[in-house]
Amino acid sequence: MPTAPPPPSTLAELRDAGFAPRTLRAEILANLQAHLRARDALFPGIRGFDDTVIPAVENAVSSNAYRPLDVITTRKGIKIEIGNTDAEGRVILADALYEAGGEAPDMLIDFATLTGACVVALGTTVSGFMGNDPELGRHVFEAGERAGERMWELPLYREFLEATKSQVADLKNSAGRWGGAITAGAFLSEFVGKTKWCHLDIAGTAWVERET
């Protein structure tokens, strides 16, 4: 299957995709940390957000690149069918979440410029978020409001996880067009175990084309 390069207009955005999440993460986490400390009864023992895992990969064609229909094994042992070679971000993020969860954290919060589907749904001024703990999700939302970073919760229903199931592996890294931001989050949910977790898709908000 031929692989086409991204349009020239998107190359600068791809180059900057690593820096923007770090800036956004700092603002939201600072507000969230203060919020959780003020409500220690809900999240006792929160000391701070000191541990960061940064998965990184170059999306480039080479003789070692995976191909459509390949099946790869994650660090958790879950086998993934590669349905879309451009959906590499969730593959490395899955390993990062699993590794971070092995440190027995109080919670996991990931920031990723993950899907164009989130931009289609929410535009460039609102991030999408979802997770497995409603209380944590509420605190993340409120921290974003105080930081001036708008976000909206997307429904992580069981049907979206079912859409990621594969006939030749455990999961597939792309479940098609419909609900793409949510199926990506559902895919990631398989790698966090029972740890409280919130996923923020900041594909639309990480890049600013005009002064705000």
Side-chain angles (χ1 to χ4, degrees):
M1 180 180 295
T3 303
S9 62
T10 67
L11 290 177
E13 296 175 29
L14 293 174
R15 176 194 64 201
D16 191 61
F19 172 75
R22 294 197 296 271
T23 304
L24 185 62
R25 170 190 176 276
E27 290 186 27
I28 293 178
L29 290 188
N31 278 273
L32 180 60
Q33 180 171 323
H35 192 54
L36 294 182
R37 282 176 173 169
R39 302 195 177 193
D40 194 59
L42 289 175
F43 293 91
I46 295 296
R47 298 178 302 277
F49 295 94
D50 300 324
D51 298 319
T52 302
V53 177
I54 303 177
V57 65
E58 183 177 14
N59 188 0
V61 176
S62 75
S63 60
N64 295 323
Y66 60 31
R67 298 169 175 82
L69 305 183
D70 278 357
V71 174
I72 63 174
T73 303
T74 66
R75 297 182 72 86
K76 188 177 180 180
I78 292 176
K79 296 185 182 299
I80 300 174
E81 175 191 358
I82 302 303
N84 183 345
T85 55
D86 193 41
E88 83 292 343
R90 70 199 64 181
V91 176
I92 61 168
L93 187 52
D95 276 347
L97 287 169
Y98 175 68
E99 288 296 310
E103 301 296 321
D106 298 302
M107 64 190 70
L108 289 170
I109 302 174
D110 76 76
F111 295 75
T113 52
L114 202 61
T115 68
C118 194
V119 187
V120 172
L122 298 176
T124 58
T125 58
V126 181
S127 298
F129 78 96
M130 63 201 83
N132 61 8
D133 186 83
E135 198 68 35
L136 175 59
R138 182 170 65 83
H139 286 298
V140 169
F141 174 80
E142 292 174 357
E145 289 289 291
R146 287 191 302 277
E149 297 290 348
R150 295 173 178 170
M151 58 186 75
W152 194 255
E153 185 171 12
L154 300 174
L156 200 58
Y157 296 138
R158 184 72 189 177
E159 288 84 353
F160 292 106
L161 178 59
E162 291 301 319
T164 69
K165 300 299 184 182
S166 167
Q167 294 183 343
V168 298
D170 299 306
L171 299 172
K172 50 190 176 184
N173 77 328
S174 177
R177 284 185 65 187
W178 313 123
I182 308 175
T183 55
F187 174 91
L188 296 176
S189 72
E190 289 292 274
F191 297 89
V192 299
K194 296 181 179 180
T195 305
K196 295 174 182 177
W197 161 73
C198 187
H199 160 63
L200 284 83
D201 191 330
I202 59 172
T205 57
W207 181 263
V208 179
E209 296 183 346
R210 63 183 185 275
E211 186 176 350
T212 60

